[in-house]
Amino acid sequence: MADSLAGRLKAEALRLGFTLAGITTPDPPASYPRFLAWLAAGRHAEMAYLATERGRARRADPRAILPECRSILVLAAPYDPPSSAGPPAAEPAGRVAAYAWGDDYHDTLLPRLKALVAFLEAETGAPIPHRLYTDTGPLLERDLARRAGLGWIGKNSMLIHPERGSCFLLAEILLGLDLPPDSAIETDHCGACTRCLEACPTDCILPDRTLDAGRCISYLTIELKGSIPLDLRSRMGDWVFGCDVCQQVCPWNERFAPPHGDPAFAPRAGLPRPSLPAQLALSPAEFSRKFKGSPVKRARRRGYLRNAAVALGNTGDARHVPALAAALRDPEPLVRQHAAWALGRIGGEAARVALEEVSEAEPDISVRNEIQVALKASSSQDSSSDV
């Protein structure tokens, strides 16, 4: 009966829009010691919530979350692969990670998880203890997904399925119900390939299939709330929210990622390549309106505009000095600071004048310091061009 129920449950998951479904036990994840070592090495950067004593205990054993847990349903929902973004826009445009082109997956997947629990309770005729997660709880979810047969952990730390690549989002239901576990994919199908390591713009991928989060563009553009380290800004290219480079170059995505994902994650207007000058001019109200119900809102306006300023500076195009000069008067010091850096990176007379106009009146010391550094960089570029 359990086998039959598991089959019906997976069929219902597919009907609701998930493309992969597997079941595993609530046993402690094998990757937990590596997770502790990763924390001890400080690879989680400023994500202090990962290192709390309560969070560590709950990640060590799913039953610390739900004592009645007897099985875990792991699910995957696909999104459009990065390759479907099309050619770059004519005007300077930023890039947004493919999973964030459409509606927020938290809002999209949670009702489906609730529907699956309702389905199970109707099938069994009794309430079932459960917990629902989609990147929201203290679970080592890729380890659980690997055990449930949804893929293997690639060298870029992503979960990769041999027939669908890695462009999907994970969700889990902890269940107080015995269901037969699926078999894990034990083979490492990455082989000798190192394309993701070689392509990473910031060299954040580590040899043990983890990341140095503090160097990852996804962390820098989303999780980091303060100033982006100087040595990494020029490596961020045109990314304004997340990064897809390691997935773009992965042969498993090139060959097997479906051309389109779940319609809920289809690109909104203005994505996946938003106009950089337009992003830098977004007012608080415009930002909230544009990204309502979008994952991009997670970066908050000041973080998103910070990222746009860095991306605009990385174009090196003096035509965008006016947009950056206007950002020097943004109400957020974080935006002004990175706009100053961008002007220094572009250089030239117009950039220098824009920086000088605000240097004396700037009230924030971190921004003033950035302006002085940018003025020196701009002057240095002018001197080099005169030689």
Side-chain angles (χ1 to χ4, degrees):
M1 289 181 61
D3 286 344
S4 175
L5 179 58
R8 296 197 302 277
L9 176 61
K10 293 175 187 176
E12 180 66 7
L14 298 182
R15 189 189 71 80
L16 288 170
F18 294 103
T19 54
L20 298 173
I23 297 168
T24 188
T25 66
D27 296 331
S31 64
Y32 184 68
R34 185 169 62 181
F35 171 68
L36 292 181
W38 181 78
L39 290 176
R43 302 299 189 188
H44 59 304
E46 295 182 11
M47 294 183 287
Y49 63 88
L50 292 174
T52 65
E53 184 176 347
R54 183 170 184 264
R56 290 198 305 269
R58 286 155 75 88
R59 287 178 175 85
D61 187 345
R63 282 165 292 213
I65 302 172
L66 181 68
E68 306 97 320
C69 185
R70 283 143 62 185
S71 59
I72 302 174
L73 176 66
V74 188
L75 305 148
Y79 56 83
D80 289 8
S83 58
S84 66
E91 65 176 318
R95 280 192 287 177
V96 170
Y99 80 88
W101 292 351
D103 294 343
D104 192 323
Y105 60 96
H106 300 96
D107 300 333
T108 301
L109 299 184
L110 188 58
R112 300 183 191 180
L113 299 181
K114 292 179 178 178
L116 283 171
V117 172
F119 171 84
L120 269 180
E121 292 181 337
E123 288 283 308
T124 60
I128 299 172
H130 64 274
R131 293 288 186 276
L132 312 176
Y133 293 110
T134 173
D135 188 34
T136 51
L139 292 172
L140 297 179
E141 61 177 4
R142 278 171 288 183
D143 196 321
L144 297 176
R146 179 195 61 79
R147 283 196 339 221
L150 270 60
W152 75 95
I153 307 296
K155 290 180 180 177
N156 61 356
S157 83
M158 303 294 290
L159 187 81
I160 306 173
H161 188 272
E163 296 176 359
R164 304 195 69 87
S166 63
C167 297
F168 49 78
L169 300 155
L170 294 175
E172 301 81 34
I173 307 179
L174 277 60
L175 293 164
L177 178 70
D178 281 313
L179 292 172
D182 291 292
S183 299
I185 296 177
E186 300 292 354
T187 304
D188 173 18
H189 293 286
C190 287
C193 178
T194 56
R195 288 172 63 176
C196 59
L197 285 84
E198 294 160 3
C200 178
T202 58
D203 301 317
C204 77
I205 302 175
L206 302 175
D208 62 351
R209 306 195 185 214
T210 65
L211 304 178
D212 183 347
R215 299 185 63 83
C216 177
I217 292 175
S218 287
Y219 168 84
L220 296 171
T221 56
I222 303 171
E223 297 289 346
L224 181 65
K225 305 309 178 188
S227 176
I228 296 170
L230 278 169
D231 63 319
L232 297 177
R233 295 178 192 177
S234 62
R235 296 192 183 197
M236 291 172 60
D238 54 2
W239 291 102
V240 295
F241 187 89
C243 178
D244 283 325
V245 171
C246 67
Q247 295 198 92
Q248 286 175 310
V249 302
C250 179
W252 293 95
N253 284 327
E254 288 183 344
R255 298 171 190 167
F256 300 114
H260 297 290
D262 192 302
F265 309 131
R268 292 183 172 197
L271 297 177
R273 290 198 165 98
S275 163
L276 288 173
Q279 307 315 290
L280 205 53
L282 288 172
S283 69
E286 289 168 339
F287 174 81
S288 295
R289 190 161 53 245
K290 179 180 178 67
F291 293 114
K292 182 179 181 181
S294 163
V296 176
K297 200 168 183 181
R298 183 177 170 190
R300 302 185 181 181
R301 177 186 176 273
R302 62 179 175 271
Y304 184 66
L305 269 63
R306 170 200 63 187
N307 304 338
V310 170
L312 208 50
N314 283 334
T315 67
D317 192 334
R319 290 177 298 176
H320 309 308
V321 166
L324 289 163
L328 288 176
R329 292 173 170 81
D330 192 271
E332 291 285 352
L334 189 67
V335 177
R336 301 198 302 271
Q337 180 185 1
H338 289 75
W341 174 87
L343 286 165
R345 180 160 173 78
I346 290 174
E349 178 68 12
R352 183 184 62 77
V353 169
L355 290 163
E356 288 178 343
E357 285 180 350
V358 300
S359 61
E360 295 299 325
E362 172 55 54
D364 187 280
I365 187 169
S366 64
V367 182
R368 286 203 305 272
N369 291 339
E370 195 85 49
I371 289 172
Q372 294 307 311
V373 172
L375 281 168
K376 290 179 182 178
S378 180
S379 299
S380 176
Q381 288 187 35
D382 290 344
S383 299
S384 299
S385 63
D386 291 338
V387 175

